[in-house]
Amino acid sequence: MNEDYFRVTSCQHEGAQYTIFSGVPLKANSYRINSRKYIISIRCENQSLPIKPSVGQQWRVRGERVLEAVQAGDYELQQHVYNAPVEMECTLPESGEALIRFIASDRDFTGIGEAKARALWDAFSSKLHQMLRYDKADHRELLRGILSDVSVDALYNGYAKYRNLAHANWLASLGIPLRIQQRILKYHDERTVDVLKSNPYALLGFGMAFRDIDTIAERLGFAKSAPQRLAGALETAIRRQVEKGHTYATYKALKPLIAELLQDAKLTTDAFENGHQSGQFIIRPDTGTYHPTAQIMMESVVAKRLKSLASLTDSDEAVFKALTDAVLDLPYNLTEQQVQAVESSLTNSVSCIIGGAGTGKTTVLRTVLRAYNSLGYEVHAVALSGRAAMRLHESIGFFTMTIARLLREEPIEHSLDRPKHVLVIDEASMIDLPTMYRLITHLDPSVRIILTGDPNQLPPIGCGKVLSDVVESGAVATQALSIVKRQEGATGIPEYSATINRGEVPRSLSCGAITFHEASSEQIVDRCKALYAESPQTTQIVGATKALVGELNQECQRLLNPDGERLQFTLYGENFYLDLRLGDPILFTKNNYNLGIQNGSLGVLTSTERGYQDDQDTYGLVTLDTGEQIPITEEIFDCMELGYAITLHKAQGSQFPRIVVAIQKGRISDRAWLYTAVTRAEAEVHIVGKSSHFASMAKSVSNANRRASYLKDLLLEERRGSGVSQ
């Protein structure tokens, strides 16, 4: 077994799974070079790293090494190569000269060269570590005698990365992947080691699998029956149910999942008892169902707000006049259903307007909002996606924004100069429980709410089925629009989708603006990419599975943008790239409300130029379909994908001029899926696949509302808190 100390001088590669970096040898605990006749090279899996290697860092490596000869100009150097070393740790230099060189060379300490680093050590010597460990006003004042305000910030930010090196090294020794190390250190900081020593299953909340944590827990001496392990198994089982869209679970659903994790029948029983005692869930006594505390809390808050608003009605003379004026001002007559919808939304503090494509939801909404505007209400309108927000603005004439943007701005609150507010939530069938909770808590209780949407579409990506529960409860004033009004030059899409929604197969699979392309499973990709290529700027492909969507994206990129400049950069001294090319459509796959993106946000990669913004390196720009530019930072690397083709769930809340629908027979391909896919199109639909698969999908019973949720029950409760006990 061999051991080397070295200073990093080069980071040659950082891939998805492994990293290669090298450096010059040092004597232990010093900056002095042992020899210039050899270099050290490390080749390892990313999960074994305690921290991302960076030029200037000091490392210790232990393991089996191989000696290789490398040519450096006219000289031949010996290379000590460690493949998958047994131990690796990065160390923060303690001595003066080592620390000076480290600060001067490490790119995290932006703007601090050797002269300033040496001046710091000369002024404070070993006290410098203590000053940087604790960011205090008096420490900053002392540092300003040598550094600018910008450099002081850089010094603290750079030091913070290495402050928890001992923790990072310990985490790496347990086999905790680097990405999870970073998350837990950011959250728990210096308490990380203590937290994990007391409960390693805390790693579940940072994305680590139960089986992997089990291995760590065993190394740390935890028994199979430890309460922490029992709680971890229950948490994992509940998470799996929530990931399926449920907000609660039954004993029947949870038991086999927990038994699989614990591999012991008695421990499975103990897990339920332990979870009940510790408050991991709430048991509903009349049904025996298990409700995670986070989900039932959100459902309770949403239900309470909606019930409170539902109790407030307004039907005075001013409201009647605004209603009459708004209706009479229209150049056409509304149907009786539409008039009732306008009246319902004006007289009730919370209301729903539901219906399929072509039934006039937009007409009703535009009329309602004009009436509200005449009554002195400030109108706020939001949609899930940028494209949907723009379409809503064009339809109603009022300012609109995405939900992500609204949640980034100041809460909507009552004030003397702005006393009355109404919020429209468009495409509300796509709103999951956590998003609805965030919206509700972002509004003053007096803010009126109008929900519009189509409950027959697919349920949201996240847990819950808010709109369906609200409509089915009958607790909120709801007007359903069912009459499809055919207009001259119409696409035929509303009629076509309505037929599917009834569980019927259209008499002709191709009609109006809908074209059916018969294709075998092997032909689908080629037919879809060819259709996309006919009009790339207006087309969106939607598919049922991630596998199909992934293949479509690769093929479309290969066909339409094979030579585009790749998104590539140097990160922490290493060459790195994503196979995204300048001009590619981009899909974001995670929510980040601070940046203004949501799971399903779409844009185009419009720049691959390096920059610096808000104390972060940037590697390009994505221009969203709202026009907003999102700087590409390390934070969003793992949530960017190609967007030529997307799953239907990612298309929720959006419409596109031209849709190509790739149909496949499968578990999720049902009537609701087909209906939702067709209604994503504004003007033109191309359906690619087997006609027999189309027919079976149209006739199948929809899975859309099979989710288990408690919101409907809470809305129906007459007394607060009835029916649930802890």
Side-chain angles (χ1 to χ4, degrees):
M1 196 70 66
N2 304 104
E3 185 175 83
D4 271 302
Y5 289 83
F6 67 102
R7 176 171 59 86
V8 179
T9 57
S10 176
C11 300
Q12 294 94 342
H13 174 78
E14 180 182 306
Q17 296 183 333
Y18 69 94
T19 292
I20 303 173
F21 62 109
S22 59
V24 294
L26 304 172
K27 288 184 177 180
N29 303 316
S30 84
Y31 189 77
R32 294 181 62 187
I33 297 176
N34 285 331
S35 171
R36 294 185 181 273
K37 295 183 179 179
Y38 71 92
I39 58 175
I40 293 103
S41 181
I42 310 297
R43 301 168 187 175
C44 63
E45 291 187 353
N46 292 341
Q47 65 179 21
S48 63
L49 291 168
I51 194 170
K52 287 187 177 181
S54 179
V55 174
Q57 294 172 346
Q58 292 187 187
W59 283 71
R60 181 183 69 86
V61 60
R62 182 170 174 270
E64 298 293 336
R65 74 184 178 201
V66 178
L67 303 183
E68 296 179 357
V70 293
Q71 201 69 29
D74 296 331
Y75 299 94
E76 185 175 89
L77 292 176
Q78 190 181 70
Q79 183 173 222
H80 295 187
V81 180
Y82 290 84
N83 288 301
V86 176
E87 293 179 27
M88 289 185 295
E89 64 175 9
C90 182
T91 60
L92 185 63
E94 294 288 337
S95 66
E97 192 64 26
L99 187 63
I100 290 167
R101 297 290 185 90
F102 177 65
I103 292 175
S105 63
D106 193 287
R107 68 195 304 271
D108 286 301
F109 299 96
T110 307
I112 305 174
E114 186 172 340
K116 288 183 178 179
R118 192 172 297 281
L120 288 170
W121 186 261
D122 290 343
F124 308 112
S125 62
S126 61
K127 294 180 181 177
L128 183 60
H129 284 286
Q130 183 74 4
M131 293 170 64
L132 297 180
R133 198 168 282 118
Y134 302 102
D135 189 351
K136 298 180 178 179
D138 58 333
H139 291 168
R140 282 181 170 264
E141 189 61 34
L142 290 170
L143 293 169
R144 288 192 189 99
I146 300 172
L147 304 175
S148 67
D149 287 345
V150 173
S151 293
V152 171
D153 288 339
L155 185 61
Y156 274 108
N157 292 336
Y159 195 89
K161 175 179 175 179
Y162 298 98
R163 182 176 58 203
N164 292 319
L165 269 179
H167 296 351
N169 290 325
W170 182 79
L171 295 174
S173 72
L174 293 175
I176 299 172
L178 181 58
R179 56 185 175 80
I180 294 176
Q181 293 177 39
Q182 293 170 329
R183 293 171 190 166
I184 196 168
L185 282 168
K186 184 176 181 180
Y187 188 82
H188 287 298
D189 200 39
E190 294 180 347
R191 298 180 294 113
T192 298
V193 173
D194 291 337
V195 167
L196 294 186
K197 283 184 176 179
S198 63
N199 182 17
Y201 295 91
L203 288 163
L204 286 169
F206 299 92
M208 201 162 181
F210 182 87
R211 292 290 186 204
D212 295 331
I213 300 172
D214 247 0
T215 302
I216 294 170
E218 187 175 358
R219 288 180 60 183
L220 295 176
F222 282 81
K224 297 290 186 183
S225 59
Q228 298 92 327
R229 183 171 185 259
L230 302 181
L234 179 59
E235 180 181 344
T236 300
I238 289 175
R239 280 176 183 264
R240 289 181 184 177
Q241 293 299 297
V242 172
E243 288 167 359
K244 292 179 180 179
H246 306 305
T247 66
Y248 67 85
T250 63
Y251 178 83
K252 184 179 179 181
L254 290 174
K255 184 180 178 181
L257 295 175
I258 297 172
E260 178 192 349
L261 295 168
L262 296 177
Q263 298 291 304
D264 187 307
K266 183 181 183 304
L267 291 181
T268 301
T269 303
D270 293 345
F272 281 103
E273 181 62 30
N274 181 75
H276 184 48
Q277 293 177 356
S278 63
Q280 275 185 280
F281 54 76
I282 294 171
I283 299 178
R284 186 178 170 190
D286 56 330
T287 61
T289 49
Y290 294 77
H291 298 250
T293 51
Q295 275 65 38
I296 198 170
M297 181 273 292
M298 289 188 286
E299 287 178 315
S300 299
V301 169
V302 171
K304 183 179 179 181
R305 175 66 61 84
L306 294 180
K307 287 165 68 176
S308 175
L309 287 171
S311 67
L312 304 174
T313 57
D314 191 0
S315 57
D316 61 18
E317 187 176 336
V319 172
F320 181 75
K321 184 178 184 306
L323 167 63
T324 305
D325 290 347
V327 173
L328 293 176
D329 193 45
L330 294 172
Y332 47 81
N333 294 325
L334 298 181
T335 66
E336 184 178 346
Q337 282 184 344
Q338 290 173 324
V339 172
Q340 291 173 351
V342 173
E343 182 179 0
S344 175
S345 296
L346 271 176
T347 57
N348 292 281
S349 293
V350 59
S351 60
C352 295
I353 305 168
I354 62 172
T359 56
K361 296 192 299 295
T362 299
T363 300
V364 169
L365 188 58
R366 183 167 57 243
T367 308
V368 168
L369 295 182
R370 287 178 179 174
Y372 266 118
N373 189 51
S374 71
L375 290 167
Y377 279 82
E378 185 167 343
V379 174
H380 310 266
V382 296
L384 196 62
S385 71
R387 192 177 293 271
M390 288 191 295
R391 180 169 51 84
L392 181 62
H393 168 69
E394 292 166 357
S395 301
I396 64 176
F398 290 91
F399 179 74
T400 62
M401 66 178 75
T402 62
I403 291 173
R405 179 175 171 181
L406 177 67
L407 294 175
R408 287 160 59 199
E409 298 193 344
E410 292 296 316
I412 301 175
E413 295 180 336
H414 170 87
S415 64
L416 291 175
D417 60 327
R418 301 168 61 195
K420 298 190 292 185
H421 301 264
V422 59
L423 173 68
V424 175
I425 305 174
D426 195 32
E427 296 279 9
S429 62
M430 314 304 178
I431 306 301
D432 59 23
L433 175 63
T435 302
M436 190 64 183
Y437 171 76
R438 288 176 67 102
L439 280 169
I440 286 290
T441 54
H442 201 70
L443 309 176
D444 186 90
S446 65
V447 177
R448 292 191 165 202
I449 298 174
I450 301 173
L451 300 165
T452 73
D454 185 354
N456 293 314
Q457 293 184 9
L458 285 179
I461 296 174
C463 66
K465 47 185 178 73
V466 174
L467 183 63
S468 291
D469 282 346
V470 170
V471 171
E472 291 173 13
S473 73
V476 170
T478 299
Q479 181 60 50
L481 304 176
S482 58
I483 302 172
V484 176
K485 299 182 71 175
R486 175 172 278 282
Q487 299 174 348
E488 187 176 350
T491 62
I493 294 172
E495 296 86 352
Y496 195 92
S497 61
T499 302
I500 295 170
N501 195 37
R502 292 193 300 269
E504 302 171 7
V505 180
R507 282 187 293 180
S508 177
L509 297 187
S510 295
C511 62
I514 303 104
T515 305
F516 188 90
H517 304 264
E518 186 74 32
S520 67
S521 300
E522 293 76 21
Q523 296 169 325
I524 287 177
V525 171
D526 286 339
R527 297 293 294 274
C528 285
K529 74 177 183 182
L531 286 165
Y532 185 96
E534 291 175 3
S535 182
Q537 301 304 317
T538 63
T539 304
Q540 182 64 61
I541 304 175
V542 296
T545 65
K546 291 182 179 179
L548 175 60
V549 165
E551 186 179 356
L552 282 163
N553 273 316
Q554 290 178 356
E555 289 298 315
C556 285
Q557 187 192 56
R558 190 175 291 120
L559 174 67
L560 297 164
N561 194 19
D563 302 318
E565 183 180 346
R566 290 193 301 182
L567 181 61
Q568 49 187 328
F569 43 85
T570 301
L571 183 60
Y572 295 110
E574 297 191 11
N575 295 324
F576 188 87
Y577 73 90
L578 297 176
D579 198 17
L580 305 174
R581 302 176 186 272
L582 191 64
D584 278 339
I586 299 297
L587 169 74
F588 290 99
T589 58
K590 292 181 182 177
N591 294 332
N592 191 318
Y593 294 114
N594 293 328
L595 292 177
I597 57 174
Q598 294 181 189
N599 190 351
S601 292
L602 287 164
V604 176
L605 182 60
T606 51
S607 172
T608 56
E609 292 185 8
R610 289 283 301 270
Y612 195 76
Q613 183 176 324
D614 298 330
D615 297 325
Q616 295 186 86
D617 288 321
T618 61
Y619 307 99
L621 291 171
V622 174
T623 302
L624 298 181
D625 50 17
T626 59
E628 187 176 3
Q629 290 188 323
I630 305 298
I632 301 171
T633 63
E634 185 182 351
E635 184 179 5
I636 63 174
F637 284 160
D638 63 348
C639 69
M640 295 170 58
E641 295 179 358
L642 289 172
Y644 294 95
I646 59 179
T647 63
L648 185 58
H649 272 98
K650 301 298 187 188
Q652 291 185 111
S654 295
Q655 280 193 301
F656 308 87
R658 185 171 181 262
I659 281 285
V660 176
V661 182
I663 60 172
Q664 287 180 309
K665 197 172 183 179
R667 182 178 55 83
I668 64 172
S669 300
D670 61 4
R671 184 193 308 170
W673 191 95
L674 188 57
Y675 170 77
T676 306
V678 171
T679 56
R680 296 308 88 204
E682 295 173 345
E684 187 177 336
V685 182
H686 293 268
I687 305 171
V688 182
K690 290 184 177 181
S691 54
S692 58
H693 291 173
F694 180 99
S696 63
M697 290 168 68
K699 295 175 181 178
S700 66
V701 178
S702 175
N703 296 315
N705 291 318
R706 290 182 181 177
R707 296 184 172 196
S709 66
Y710 190 40
L711 180 60
K712 176 183 174 181
D713 299 74
L714 287 170
L715 288 167
L716 289 170
E717 288 182 354
E718 294 182 2
R719 294 178 299 171
R720 181 183 175 188
S722 66
V724 178
S725 67
Q726 185 170 354

